[in-house]
Amino acid sequence: MMEGHKKFTFDNVVRGILWAIVITGIVMLLNRLSAVLVPFFLAWLIFSVPSLWWDWCLRVSSC
């Protein structure tokens, strides 16, 4: 047997299937809620990016 390869066990297969289900569920939830989440994300960008820029300017004090 080659070194570095793990054996396929029942536990590893079940964990892989559960992770696939969780990731699929998260993707489906984000797809379903995207109409609601996009405006909140844009609002967060509009208000946080200038704040981060202003904090950086105050720290560097060259703006």
Side-chain angles (χ1 to χ4, degrees):
M1 182 184 263
M2 301 173 91
E3 290 186 34
H5 291 282
K6 293 173 69 174
K7 291 183 180 179
F8 284 108
T9 62
F10 180 72
D11 183 50
N12 288 339
V13 172
V14 170
R15 283 185 190 187
I17 291 171
L18 287 176
W19 272 112
I21 291 171
V22 167
I23 290 171
T24 303
I26 289 172
V27 168
M28 290 175 67
L29 183 65
L30 286 174
N31 187 28
R32 182 120 169 133
L33 295 177
S34 64
V36 175
L37 293 177
V38 168
F40 282 106
F41 180 71
L42 290 176
W44 174 77
L45 279 178
I46 290 169
F47 288 107
S48 68
V49 170
S51 174
L52 293 172
W53 177 79
W54 183 251
D55 291 341
W56 178 79
C57 279
L58 291 177
R59 216 179 12 218
V60 175
S61 68
S62 65
C63 293

